[in-house]
Amino acid sequence: MTTSPARTAVVPVAEIFELRRSVLRPGLPAQTAVFAEDAAPGTFHIAAYDERGTVRACVSFFPEGLPEPPPGHEAGGGGAEDGASAYRFRGMASDPAVRGLGYGVAVLRAGLDQAAARGAGLAWCNGRTSAWGFYEHQGFTVTGEEFVVESVGPHYRFTIKLPG
């Protein structure tokens, strides 16, 4: 049986922290799941809830322009186009018990809508290579070559233009 999130909301980081930590930093100290951007101006956090009110997916967005390609890669993929402001997102996590049921898509779409409402023309992330299909299905494109994030693994930079 397929279900969908009961709702999404902009929430304080404390609301999503345990899911972020358990999915993205399992077995590591809680501090490894704290991002410097969590409390920065303009940062917002999105949660998706099931019908019982349990947080099932999360993501954090913050204002950050699209950087140049990672060191050692060809130029041409960096810089926000036409000077558009950009939001980066990270810390996207879905409870393994509900993967494939739309919770991840729900937080991503809610976050993209919120970033656009805040004036962003572009959103981007450094996403795991294994997530390529997910991002491509949501309308993202790969910018640049694959690169490795130490202790995490291979990644691509994914970008999407926002409406408005």
Side-chain angles (χ1 to χ4, degrees), residues 24-53:
L24 300 179
R25 305 289 191 268
L28 297 176
Q31 194 63 23
T32 65
V34 174
F35 301 153
E37 303 87 4
D38 281 340
T43 297
F44 62 91
H45 311 279
I46 303 283
Y49 301 89
D50 66 15
E51 63 281 347
R52 286 177 262 145

Side-chain angles (χ1 to χ4, degrees), residues 17 25 34-35 41 47 49 52 76 84 87 89 92 123 147 151 162:
F17 187 78
R25 305 289 191 268
V34 174
F35 301 153
Y49 301 89
R52 286 177 262 145
Y87 265 75
F89 62 95
M92 188 166 164
F147 59 96
S151 79
L162 300 175

